[in-house]
Amino acid sequence: MRLRPRKLTSALLGPVPVSRGRALAVSERLAAVNAVTASLEHLSQRRNIQQGGLNDWSIERDLSSGSTPLTRRLLDAVSGERATLALHGARVAAGAALLLPGCGRWRGAANGFLGLSNVALYPRHRFGTDGADQVATLVQTATGLARMSRREETQDALLWYVALQANLSYLVSGWVKLLGREWRDGTAMSGVMRTRTYGHEGLWKLTRTHPVPARFLAHGVLALECLFPLAYAKGGALAKPIIGGAAAFHTANGFVMGLGRFLTAFTSMHPMVAYTSTPRNHPAVAGRDDRILTAALATGAAAVTGAAAIAASRRSRVADAPSNSRAVVTRHGNRLTYNARLTAGRKGPVVVFVNGMTSTVEHFGWITEQLVEDGELDLLTYDRAGYAASSYRGGSHYSLRESVEDLADLVRGAVPADREVVLAGHSLGGELARQAAAELGGRVRGVVYLDSSHPAELRRSAQQNKSAGTLRENLSQFTVSLRAGLGALLARPEWVDNLPRRHRSRAFAQYADARMWRASVREWTAAEREFSTYEGELDRLPTAALVLSAQQTVDRDPEHLLLHRELADAHRGSGRLVRTEVLEGADHDSMLTDPRLGTETARRILDFLAALDTRATGDADGTTHSTVTAQEER
């Protein structure tokens, strides 16, 4: 029997007409299967909620310490072992009841119970819940409200709500994947299949022996997710292949990756997509109320406009140099804005701070305030080219040397010629300071390395080498996301609120603006290229040095401690002051941004500068002061 082309086209293309009642019935049953499966899994693994288990409540409850007292009491009430088991038993019973025929309002109560109980149990099973549970909660809440309402307009609004959430989930997932190089070049499938958690050895071997089909498969997944809303185009002409493709995708994931509950959870949204993508003049959806779609589109347009306004406001805040700042134009044409505290008549060295990559001058807030308050020191902070109000005029062939020469030009142009400097650099800023010290020669009295980068770290540190590619991808994704206007969705990170109050607003404005991230991509591209090929020993520098390492950095990667000691060794000789110290409890960033640790970092710098000043006094009067400590000689 031959299948006519028109019938074949009709079978593969076109809408999937389902009625309102049918969409509700299928969706709630699929979500119910997910609930029953999830609760049976938890009941069969009771040891996880017992003392010493993966979800021991005596430990898990600490994660809810920031909740209100009423919320904590409610969580304690449902998180005892007996209460948890009883809830799961009730969920199994409610889910099984929803698999029975019928359309009474009691089904709304059962769906509502499944949704609310899932929310209540989430803190109890923090390890073991996933996106499938969140989707199921969304569907159960919507279908519960729809069942309890007698108004068709309300039911349609809820069905549209779930359908729009489905489109958003696929769309966002696809475009986020598109930012990753592995998905774009088609190698992601092989990478996922070789992981321990979601991998499948047989399929991984197939992707290795047949890379072309694997690449087509990866690109197919990308296309399906990125173009999912096309199910609504031309009267739902593509609804069948898109909904069918998504269902096949989840079925394959369930078999290959062990994500069985993702199949029932995500496909529980598909009947609502089918209902809303069917043309309104089709008999199956006659009388459908689509006003929620218009409201959603209007809300989306307003949100886009608001996000653009927020981005513009932040860009203006970032690009507007503080009133007391000045600027220097370097040999490369870059315009660097800086703030300097230079006291007339003072002869001591000026401390010049060099921030790290994706870091701001505000990161030094606790340190600079402490240096001014306790040490009455002169200091200078500046924004590197492309950061804040500083402009980058260079071309596409950027190298770290350009930033080094910018720093040298800044010192020569901003610091009086009769004043020496101490260069204090954090992270990549430490490497820039080291190279600038060689160029500035006698102008540099000392270098302070704050958990500094080392040019050989990508070759010598397996951990750094492994994370280099991830860092590159993360920087790229962050930049693209911010340029797309998603900065309005950024939550304010904890480190911002840890800074001195007057620095917080400007620091967050830079963090949420794409400009700093574009500069970071440029810097990391150059650093990765130069660090991965670096060989030989560090150049000797005839200056004093303080090498301050964050404890968590060297604990996590002992090779870094050796690299930091090499930074110190490059300064040793002729009795020069050289100190290597580890700041206990600090990580790479908190040594600057944490109030206590930032203040302690400032104290270490002050001690170093005091010892440096003592030695200079001794040299001036011909007396040698013995200030070398055990830390200095290590």
Side-chain angles (χ1 to χ4, degrees):
M1 178 180 176
R2 295 180 61 187
L3 194 63
R4 295 179 180 178
R6 181 172 295 182
K7 288 187 176 181
L8 179 62
T9 301
S10 176
L12 297 178
L13 299 175
V16 185
V18 293
S19 66
R20 181 186 300 110
R22 183 65 175 167
L24 278 172
V26 177
S27 289
E28 70 181 0
R29 284 176 171 81
L30 287 170
V33 170
N34 184 86
V36 170
T37 304
S39 287
L40 288 176
E41 287 179 0
H42 287 301
L43 288 171
S44 67
Q45 299 173 3
R46 294 177 54 180
R47 62 184 181 278
N48 286 339
I49 63 172
Q50 296 171 348
Q51 187 174 6
L54 186 64
N55 289 303
D56 184 346
W57 182 241
S58 63
I59 298 174
E60 288 292 299
R61 72 191 307 272
D62 292 340
L63 298 175
S64 304
S65 59
S67 304
T68 64
L70 176 60
T71 301
R72 290 199 298 272
R73 284 197 293 271
L74 290 174
L75 290 176
D76 285 335
V78 302
S79 298
E81 184 177 348
R82 290 183 179 179
T84 299
L85 295 177
L87 265 180
H88 281 302
R91 282 172 56 80
V92 171
L98 285 171
L99 298 178
L100 299 174
C103 58
R105 297 183 71 184
W106 65 269
R107 302 181 74 88
N111 276 307
F113 168 74
L114 290 177
L116 290 174
S117 60
N118 207 19
V119 172
L121 287 168
Y122 173 76
R124 187 65 170 98
H125 299 294
R126 197 174 299 271
F127 297 101
T129 54
D130 49 35
D133 299 290
Q134 297 167 14
V135 171
T137 299
L138 170 72
V139 173
Q140 286 155 354
T141 304
T143 54
L145 293 172
R147 286 292 192 190
M148 287 187 281
S149 174
R150 295 191 183 278
R151 299 185 70 238
E152 293 181 347
E153 295 86 349
T154 302
Q155 293 176 347
D156 284 342
L158 291 164
L159 291 174
W160 263 114
Y161 171 71
V162 175
L164 291 172
Q165 288 285 347
N167 279 270
L168 192 61
S169 66
Y170 287 112
L171 189 66
V172 171
S173 177
W175 285 98
V176 169
K177 284 186 177 73
L178 194 60
L179 297 176
R181 178 181 54 81
E182 291 83 1
W183 282 99
R184 293 196 303 272
D185 64 23
T187 60
M189 199 63 66
S190 177
V192 172
M193 290 302 105
R194 72 188 295 255
T195 61
R196 178 172 297 181
T197 305
Y198 299 118
H200 187 282
E201 185 178 0
L203 188 56
W204 174 73
K205 290 180 178 178
L206 284 175
T207 62
R208 301 292 291 179
T209 54
H210 304 285
V212 174
R215 187 158 54 247
F216 279 119
L217 185 59
H219 289 161
V221 170
L222 266 183
L224 173 67
E225 293 187 334
C226 291
L227 303 177
F228 191 88
L230 287 182
Y232 291 78
K234 290 185 178 289
L238 297 177
K240 282 182 180 178
I242 288 178
I243 295 174
F249 169 68
H250 292 300
T251 302
N253 284 347
F255 175 75
V256 174
M257 302 172 66
L259 298 174
R261 283 195 285 121
F262 273 66
L263 172 60
T264 51
F266 278 87
T267 56
S268 70
M269 297 190 291
H270 291 176
M272 303 189 187
V273 174
Y275 173 69
T276 55
S277 62
T278 300
R280 195 177 178 187
N281 59 5
H282 195 285
V285 298
R288 187 183 66 206
D289 189 335
D290 293 342
R291 285 178 295 175
I292 188 66
L293 177 61
T294 303
L297 293 175
T299 302
V304 170
T305 303
I310 292 173
S313 174
R314 286 173 175 164
R315 173 59 57 84
S316 176
R317 172 102 167 92
V318 167
D320 184 25
S323 58
N324 59 342
S325 66
R326 285 168 277 183
V328 164
V329 178
T330 72
R331 73 190 78 173
H332 298 287
N334 298 327
R335 186 176 183 274
L336 308 182
T337 58
Y338 69 93
N339 286 280
R341 181 182 188 272
L342 300 173
T343 306
R346 185 170 288 172
K347 297 299 182 183
V350 178
V351 184
V352 179
F353 287 92
V354 190
N355 54 286
M357 189 179 66
T358 61
S359 179
T360 71
V361 297
E362 287 74 21
H363 277 70
F364 293 114
W366 291 114
I367 298 175
T368 54
E369 289 190 1
Q370 197 71 22
L371 294 186
V372 171
E373 180 180 345
D374 291 354
E376 297 185 352
L377 294 170
D378 284 352
L379 50 87
L380 182 150
T381 59
Y382 78 105
D383 298 308
R384 228 168 18 255
Y387 286 74
S390 294
S391 57
Y392 176 72
R393 304 297 184 192
S396 58
H397 300 294
Y398 168 83
S399 69
L400 294 182
R401 188 66 191 169
E402 184 173 330
S403 290
V404 171
E405 292 170 350
D406 279 356
L407 175 55
D409 291 348
L410 172 72
V411 170
R412 295 186 180 111
V415 179
D418 62 341
R419 300 286 298 274
E420 294 179 313
V421 296
V422 171
L423 302 178
H426 173 246
S427 191
L428 180 63
E431 172 59 14
L432 299 179
R434 184 187 71 83
Q435 294 188 38
E439 176 158 335
L440 288 167
R443 292 291 306 272
V444 179
R445 184 79 177 281
V447 180
V448 176
Y449 299 93
L450 302 174
D451 214 39
S452 175
S453 299
H454 186 292
E457 63 185 32
L458 296 187
R459 289 195 309 104
R460 299 259 302 276
S461 169
Q463 184 186 79
Q464 287 289 324
N465 185 273
K466 182 179 179 180
S467 62
T470 302
L471 175 59
R472 181 176 62 252
E473 290 295 321
N474 289 342
L475 289 174
S476 177
Q477 290 180 17
F478 223 98
T479 303
V480 173
S481 298
L482 291 176
R483 295 185 72 178
L486 299 181
L489 303 178
L490 272 181
R492 187 154 152 156
E494 184 179 358
W495 64 263
V496 170
D497 290 325
N498 284 339
L499 294 173
R501 186 175 299 277
R502 69 186 185 92
H503 295 297
R504 295 172 187 171
S505 176
R506 187 169 176 80
F508 181 60
Q510 293 180 67
Y511 174 76
D513 183 71
R515 196 164 184 270
M516 180 184 74
W517 295 90
R518 287 203 305 269
S520 299
V521 169
R522 180 175 64 246
E523 290 178 344
W524 179 243
T525 300
E528 189 176 17
R529 180 179 64 247
E530 296 172 29
F531 286 6
S532 61
T533 58
Y534 183 86
E535 294 183 355
E537 297 182 353
L538 297 176
D539 295 334
R540 308 293 297 179
L541 293 173
T543 68
L546 167 64
V547 182
L548 186 59
S549 307
Q551 181 188 10
Q552 293 186 34
T553 297
V554 297
D555 284 352
R556 187 171 57 251
D557 186 5
E559 184 64 35
H560 249 319
L561 184 59
L562 299 178
L563 293 170
H564 286 177
R565 287 178 177 172
E566 286 185 10
L567 291 174
D569 290 341
H571 291 262
R572 298 191 189 279
S574 304
R576 282 189 291 272
L577 177 67
V578 178
R579 291 183 172 179
T580 60
E581 301 176 5
V582 175
L583 189 60
E584 294 184 2
D587 64 28
H588 186 66
D589 292 318
S590 67
M591 69 185 305
L592 306 185
T593 59
D594 181 87
R596 181 184 67 81
L597 295 171
T599 302
E600 176 62 20
T601 298
R603 189 189 67 76
R604 303 286 183 98
I605 295 174
L606 283 170
D607 289 347
F608 170 72
L609 294 174
L612 198 60
D613 185 58
T614 300
R615 288 200 170 190
T617 303
D619 292 342
D621 61 16
T623 305
T624 301
H625 294 273
S626 178
T627 60
V628 180
T629 66
Q631 290 174 327
E632 294 166 7
E633 294 186 338
R634 279 191 300 193

